[in-house]
Amino acid sequence: MADATSIKELPSLTGLHQRRNPLEENPFFHPSHGFYITPSDVVLSQVVYDLSDASQPHVAYHRAGPRREILYEPSSVKAAIVTCGGLCPGMNTVIRELVVGLWELYGVREIYGIPAGYRGFYSMEAVELNPKLVHNWHKKGGTVLATSRGGFDLCKIVDAIQQNGYNQVYIIGGDGTMRGAVKIFDEVSRRKLEVGITGIPKTVDNDVGIIDRSFGFQTAVEMAQEAISAAHVEAESAVNGIGLVKLMGRSTGHIALHATLSSRDVDCCLIPEMGFYLEGKGGLFEFLEQRLKDHGHAVLVVAEGAGQEMIPRTESQKQERDESGNLVFLDVGVWLKSALKEWWEREHPKELFTVKYIDPTYMIRAVPANATDNLYCTLLAHSSIHGVMAGYTGFVSGPINGNYAYIPLEEVAQTKNEVNTSDPKWAWVRSVTNQPDFETNFKG
């Protein structure tokens, strides 16, 4: 297998000199055989193979973790940490663990937080960080550094990095932020600056590719259960009641899918990767009518990006973009609620009917990380520190098949993690909800 394995190489800084890792003298560590990661330690991108197909390629990534030799002199490090984009559970934990890890593991004393996202590099005063200041940040939702969308001015950002003497930059954000990080890395390289650039992918939707999951995702699924449970109670307590819950997921339906499987109270789950239709045989209305006839109530979960092509838009709405350049989505929950009411009044004009619509978006993304995500954020932060201190740059840290690895930044920025509707997990959703296969019905 070794001969057929292709290792994804990482960019490295070239103008620094190797030195002994200070973890050797750290009182909390006792490095023994296997403690330090070597260049030959890799993580395979796949762990399941068809042995009958000898042509299958084996792609591997460098394993994350401490190296015996590092390239930075800790006393010369000036690190910058920035959070960009929307909120996500765990952002403060990542910041805290970056600060504590740099300070306690490597003896770095100059660590700065960049306020308000990318624009903070050139428009706001950086905040000096230390372990005492960030001690309780992991217990808070949101980001203490503040965040924003947009404000990406490449020249101004890199100018600020250069003028302020930052030689390590930790960028926390989603796919758009990672694309910006690639540009920063390219410009830093073009200027031949000895600056380590690393991304820590943050997206509550879990839509970042290659890695097993994004931080905050498990917290989001857990919090979504509360909204689904409330919708179920409302629906069950009404005559012909429907509980409608809209969950986050612009381009992917991971939260809706996992929340549905976890809840078991959901009768239908609609996600962006799977089309659906309302009227006619095999449509949503026919399914819900039978559900109400059989059980007297129904719970419907919809990801925010589902059905967007079905919602009527004005010409100006078709052109509207947010500060990150994304198409502004219309509220699929409001549209569905209205469509459901119109359908029932048309088909059952004198019968009772109730739709209770719950949108927990801001409640979910603003909470602190749960225990699992807090641990995950710590491992992400420490993996990033070890990689940068070893001289790697232009990379992202993350788990692949349960093992932490370093992935080229550009590869992560270009890859989406979408729900595979041919996967057994989606079949499991349909078996739990008994919902129809809308796409097959429509094509038929």
Side-chain angles (χ1 to χ4, degrees), residues 80-84 94 98 114 117-118 121 152 157 161 168-174 176-185 196-202 215 384 388 395-396 409:
I81 302 168
V82 64
T83 54
C84 306
V94 173
L98 285 172
I114 309 300
Y118 276 137
F121 274 106
F152 186 83
I157 291 170
I161 290 172
Q168 293 186 5
V169 180
Y170 298 85
I171 302 171
I172 307 165
T177 301
M178 292 300 109
R179 289 192 290 273
V182 171
K183 294 178 181 178
I184 292 173
F185 164 70
I197 305 291
T198 185
I200 301 176
K202 165 223 56 108
F215 75 80
S384 298
V388 173
F395 72 93
V396 162
L409 188 54

Side-chain angles (χ1 to χ4, degrees), residues 308-324:
Q308 286 294 319
E309 72 284 353
M310 301 168 65
I311 308 174
R313 288 177 178 266
T314 64
E315 285 303 316
S316 62
Q317 287 174 329
K318 292 177 182 177
Q319 305 302 320
E320 194 176 358
R321 298 289 189 277
D322 64 19
E323 288 185 317
S324 297

Side-chain angles (χ1 to χ4, degrees), residues 163-333:
Q163 290 163 11
N164 286 291
Y166 299 130
N167 53 12
Q168 293 186 5
V169 180
Y170 298 85
I171 302 171
I172 307 165
D175 53 352
T177 301
M178 292 300 109
R179 289 192 290 273
V182 171
K183 294 178 181 178
I184 292 173
F185 164 70
D186 288 341
E187 179 62 16
V188 163
S189 300
R190 189 189 68 80
R191 298 189 190 189
K192 295 181 169 53
L193 304 177
E194 297 294 340
V195 180
I197 305 291
T198 185
I200 301 176
K202 165 223 56 108
T203 164
V204 75
D205 302 346
N206 200 37
D207 59 0
V208 172
I210 303 175
I211 62 175
D212 294 347
R213 70 179 191 279
S214 305
F215 75 80
F217 173 67
Q218 291 196 338
T219 304
V221 172
E222 185 177 304
M223 291 299 297
Q225 301 301 302
E226 296 182 17
I228 292 172
S229 295
H232 182 247
V233 170
E234 289 284 354
E236 202 173 31
S237 301
V239 177
N240 294 320
I242 289 183
L244 174 59
V245 180
K246 183 185 78 173
L247 297 176
M248 288 170 289
R250 285 183 57 87
S251 58
T252 63
H254 291 288
I255 294 179
L257 183 155
H258 284 81
T260 294
L261 291 177
S262 302
S263 167
R264 304 301 175 93
D265 286 331
V266 179
D267 297 291
C268 187
C269 175
L270 304 175
I271 60 174
E273 294 90 343
M274 177 64 72
F276 68 96
Y277 58 102
L278 303 180
E279 308 275 1
K281 186 171 178 57
L284 180 63
F285 290 161
E286 180 186 76
F287 170 73
L288 290 176
E289 182 162 23
Q290 187 61 48
R291 206 72 173 169
L292 291 174
K293 183 178 178 181
D294 294 341
H295 301 284
H297 67 276
V299 175
L300 177 61
V301 167
V302 57
E304 63 181 311
Q308 286 294 319
E309 72 284 353
M310 301 168 65
I311 308 174
R313 288 177 178 266
T314 64
E315 285 303 316
S316 62
Q317 287 174 329
K318 292 177 182 177
Q319 305 302 320
E320 194 176 358
R321 298 289 189 277
D322 64 19
E323 288 185 317
S324 297
N326 302 313
L327 177 70
V328 174
F329 279 1
L330 299 181
D331 194 323
V332 66

Side-chain angles (χ1 to χ4, degrees), residues 8 87 91 128 135 214 267 292 317 359 369 396 415 432:
K8 297 282 187 174
L87 297 184
M91 293 175 80
E128 192 163 1
H135 180 67
S214 305
D267 297 291
L292 291 174
Q317 287 174 329
D359 178 0
V396 162
T415 310
V432 167

